[in-house]
Amino acid sequence: SGKIDRWLFLLNNKLTAIGAKSQLALSFKSYSIPGNSKLQIHPPLLRTDISNYKPTNNGYILVYLLNKGYSEELMEWHKHNQEVRVHCFWDNREVNEVFNPHPNLTFHLLNDDKFLEYMSGCTGYVSTAGFESICEAMYLDKPIMVVPVDGHYEQSCNAIDALRAGAGISSKTFDLTKFVDYLEDLETNHGQFRRWVANADYQFLNTLEVVSDQVRLRTDTLPDQPRLILPQHAR
């Protein structure tokens, strides 16, 4: 159930953070966390070559499928909407690198460079709620529809966070009608998000310096410890 998934998710975070001097949370936007000095909100870390791509609008929707099982749902929808151009990336080695089940619907095998190229040219982006690709779409000023994977609590959290940041809309299925309607006369401007991303290096370095100073101060205040000198043959 959702309550159990949430409890396990929070428990995992607490267990993995035991002993941590600082906790960094990556987010689509900045939040203030009152009363929790350890937790800090940081911008996402995107691959540097994304800045080489300039966003254009070439009139197609880009889709990423985490599970190839979703393809049946997408193909069924497109069968009745073949006027909509859709390019989809998936990990299905059972078909050719480029697969066209019918006109205006093209499946591509996963390829990082090719994916970013199609991302930069799409009208909008549809995906399961993975954090990194949503960030890349926002960086390239693309409206988004997220479809969180059932049973993945972290994806539900990503979807909520993305909507709060103004990334786009959410859906429970890969029926794209809702998204096509949403895209009509829509203009996006994620300039604030790009400025947030541009600040990532500075924020991370600043956090590391603060934590390093805290550890150094704590170490300097410890009493001298006896040193164990090993015989040469034991080194």
Side-chain angles (χ1 to χ4, degrees):
S1 68
K3 290 183 178 180
I4 294 176
D5 290 340
R6 180 177 184 275
W7 182 82
L8 291 172
F9 180 77
L10 294 175
L11 176 63
N12 179 70
N13 284 348
K14 288 182 178 180
L15 292 176
T16 55
I18 291 176
K21 299 298 179 186
S22 184
Q23 300 172 21
L24 311 184
L26 304 184
S27 176
F28 299 109
K29 61 182 294 187
S30 177
Y31 293 97
S32 59
I33 310 294
N36 190 340
S37 59
K38 280 190 174 183
L39 182 61
Q40 299 183 48
I41 307 299
H42 278 254
L45 294 172
L46 302 185
R47 36 189 163 175
T48 55
D49 53 349
I50 194 172
S51 61
N52 299 328
Y53 294 86
K54 304 303 178 185
T56 57
N57 185 346
N58 295 326
Y60 60 83
I61 293 174
L62 179 66
V63 179
Y64 168 67
L65 298 180
L66 177 64
N67 302 320
K68 65 181 182 180
Y70 290 127
S71 62
E72 296 180 5
E73 185 177 314
L74 179 60
M75 285 188 281
E76 180 61 28
W77 175 85
H78 195 268
K79 187 188 300 182
H80 305 286
N81 299 272
Q82 295 193 28
E83 74 283 359
V84 182
R85 293 172 58 206
V86 178
H87 287 275
C88 178
F89 281 76
W90 63 349
D91 187 17
N92 184 1
R93 305 290 170 175
E94 298 175 1
V95 298
N96 294 331
E97 184 174 345
V98 177
F99 171 58
N100 292 95
H102 35 75
N104 281 338
L105 177 60
T106 306
F107 287 84
H108 308 265
L109 287 181
L110 290 178
N111 178 296
D112 285 348
D113 294 334
K114 188 177 180 181
F115 178 77
L116 281 183
E117 180 183 343
Y118 274 85
M119 172 82 81
S120 65
C122 72
T123 302
Y125 176 59
V126 179
S127 172
T128 49
F131 182 75
E132 185 175 2
S133 68
I134 295 175
C135 290
E136 290 172 343
M138 292 179 68
Y139 188 89
L140 293 171
D141 247 349
K142 304 301 179 180
I144 300 160
M145 184 173 85
V146 291
V147 186
V149 177
D150 287 340
H152 287 244
Y153 183 77
E154 76 285 355
Q155 291 219 349
S156 298
C157 294
N158 286 342
I160 293 171
D161 200 19
L163 268 57
R164 285 178 176 173
I169 61 175
S170 65
S171 176
K172 294 183 178 180
T173 71
F174 280 90
D175 181 327
L176 303 189
T177 300
K178 179 181 179 181
F179 192 51
V180 172
D181 293 341
Y182 173 74
L183 292 175
E184 290 185 5
D185 302 321
L186 176 70
E187 293 185 7
T188 56
N189 185 352
H190 293 307
Q192 184 175 358
F193 176 78
R194 285 192 294 276
R195 290 189 291 273
W196 173 237
V197 171
N199 199 37
D201 289 349
Y202 168 78
Q203 283 202 226
F204 274 100
L205 286 174
N206 184 63
T207 298
L208 290 175
E209 288 176 357
V210 170
V211 173
S212 178
D213 289 343
Q214 291 174 347
V215 172
R216 189 181 302 112
L217 179 63
R218 181 174 179 273
T219 302
D220 290 344
T221 59
L222 292 176
D224 292 338
Q225 300 294 320
R227 298 178 59 195
L228 175 63
I229 307 300
L230 296 177
Q232 186 66 35
H233 65 81
R235 295 179 184 173

